[in-house]
Amino acid sequence: MAEHTKCLIIGSGPAGYTAAIYASRAGLAPIMYQGPQPGGQLTITNDVENFPGYPEGIQGPVMMQDLEKQARRFGTDVRYGMVTSVDFSVSPKKVIVDDTQEILADAVIISTGASAKWLGLPSEQEFNGRGVSACAVCDGFFFRNQEVAIVGGGDTAAEEATYLANLCKKVHMIVRRDELRASQIMQKRVTSNPKIEMHWNSSTDEILGDDSGVTGVRIKNNVSGETTVLPVTGFFVAIGHKPNTDIFKGFLEMDEAGYIITEKGSSRTNIAGVFASGDAQDNIYRQAITAAGTGCMAALDAERWLAENELH
């Protein structure tokens, strides 16, 4: 038996929970399915120090628990479960949860986020949050005046290496080829920075550490086969992100990387009544605070759309 709701939120995290807070306070009685990682990427982030309102910082999982409690307080029906397929060609929109439960939603807010791409090393996950990070802007501050490494060769890696160089004593940039894929201006910025040491034709062999966290990284030269240990306390992975948007392909307009395209200055997608927020549509900032902001936008846009179409 299909269940009907005025507002369905797909995914949690700062975007989804903020959308839920605004939607529930607007009387939309939203249903939220949290997805495979309730709370999103911040649940694997130890310390969050750049979200306003927490002068002493806060642990990522605690912050997500607080946001969930706030959403529940105003009446959001928060549920475990993962949306496995959608049909946005009909109205109300049809959404299938865990391949079994059918939900019919007048408005849908997408906040499925994006996942960092990892190298696939066991040690990478072992030290994730203890020296290994996929976000220099989020975690670079913890490594100020220390020696760190970053792997990647595109614009994101170049930008993050430059950012880290402003904070850290030295930045080792590990590039698997003999050139960067980054734009010319970013290449020049990186290679001319005296605090950034380039390691060309190199791959990460192993991340080294102990109970205190990362103590070094062993890299291998792809040409000579020679291995070198870099004495770093931080290891940043900057090889890209993958938006969690595959189930929406064929319905929503996306860029070549799979990020959902929204109308400028809004959360509206190419399908009326479907709104996108957070990292699923943001390939630039990818911060908790910007995700929360777009979650607010999505809820307000959904509320207005429902009212305009007399579905409130």
Side-chain angles (χ1 to χ4, degrees):
M1 189 76 179
E3 180 181 4
H4 179 265
T5 182
K6 282 184 287 189
C7 180
L8 176 69
I9 301 170
I10 304 175
S12 44
Y17 287 135
T18 303
I21 291 165
Y22 275 80
S24 54
R25 292 186 78 251
L28 302 185
I31 294 173
M32 167 191 278
Y33 280 97
Q34 293 178 302
Q37 188 178 26
Q41 291 187 80
L42 280 186
T43 58
I44 57 170
T45 302
N46 284 347
D47 296 306
V48 179
E49 292 192 336
N50 56 1
F51 199 97
Y54 298 98
E56 303 303 320
I58 187 170
Q59 290 191 329
V62 175
M63 183 185 188
M64 290 304 97
Q65 290 169 10
D66 287 346
L67 284 178
E68 180 181 340
K69 288 175 186 174
Q70 193 171 356
R72 288 182 184 274
R73 175 190 164 202
F74 294 116
T76 302
D77 185 351
V78 180
R79 303 177 180 179
Y80 293 109
M82 184 172 75
V83 172
T84 47
S85 65
V86 302
D87 183 356
F88 291 158
S89 66
V90 295
S91 187
K93 283 74 181 167
K94 186 164 77 170
V95 172
I96 305 298
V97 180
D98 294 330
D99 294 317
T100 55
Q101 175 65 37
E102 182 176 323
I103 305 289
L104 300 177
D106 296 324
V108 174
I109 295 173
I110 296 167
S111 54
T112 48
S115 300
K117 294 179 181 177
W118 298 97
L119 298 173
L121 298 171
S123 55
E124 188 178 42
Q125 296 309 312
E126 180 184 352
F127 294 107
N128 193 352
R130 296 195 298 126
V132 173
S133 170
C135 181
V137 175
C138 310
D139 299 324
F141 183 78
F142 300 117
F143 300 93
R144 56 196 184 281
N145 301 318
Q146 299 177 46
E147 204 163 322
V148 301
I150 185 167
V151 59
D155 275 336
T156 298
E159 288 171 7
E160 296 207 345
T162 304
Y163 179 87
L164 289 168
N166 291 327
L167 296 168
C168 302
K169 181 170 64 176
K170 186 174 185 178
V171 178
H172 297 271
M173 191 167 187
I174 305 164
V175 185
R176 63 180 178 177
R177 303 191 301 178
D178 60 358
E179 61 181 359
L180 293 168
R181 292 181 291 104
S183 60
Q184 288 296 319
I185 189 168
M186 289 308 302
Q187 289 188 41
K188 184 176 180 181
R189 196 171 294 172
V190 166
T191 55
S192 64
N193 192 315
K195 293 176 72 176
I196 300 176
E197 181 178 341
M198 306 301 299
H199 298 270
W200 304 108
N201 295 309
S202 297
S203 57
T204 304
D205 193 48
E206 192 71 84
I207 299 162
L208 310 174
D210 53 29
D211 290 343
S212 66
V214 171
T215 58
V217 58
R218 185 170 65 240
I219 63 173
K220 181 179 181 179
N221 187 287
N222 300 326
V223 177
S224 67
E226 180 184 355
T227 59
T228 306
V229 173
L230 306 177
V232 300
T233 52
F235 182 79
F236 292 85
V237 181
I239 58 175
H241 287 75
K242 184 185 185 305
N244 304 317
T245 58
D246 286 351
I247 60 171
F248 309 117
K249 287 179 178 176
F251 296 102
L252 300 182
E253 291 181 358
M254 303 179 186
D255 67 12
E256 59 184 14
Y259 289 92
I260 298 169
I261 295 172
T262 54
E263 290 182 23
K264 188 174 182 179
S266 85
S267 64
R268 291 188 294 272
T269 68
N270 60 298
I271 300 289
V274 178
F275 308 89
S277 63
D279 289 10
Q281 54 83 56
D282 175 16
N283 66 347
I284 299 174
Y285 301 105
R286 294 193 294 263
Q287 298 298 302
I289 190 66
T290 51
T294 57
C296 166
M297 291 168 61
L300 294 176
D301 287 342
E303 193 275 332
R304 289 166 183 160
W305 182 84
L306 288 166
E308 290 168 1
N309 289 272
E310 299 181 349
L311 294 168
H312 204 297

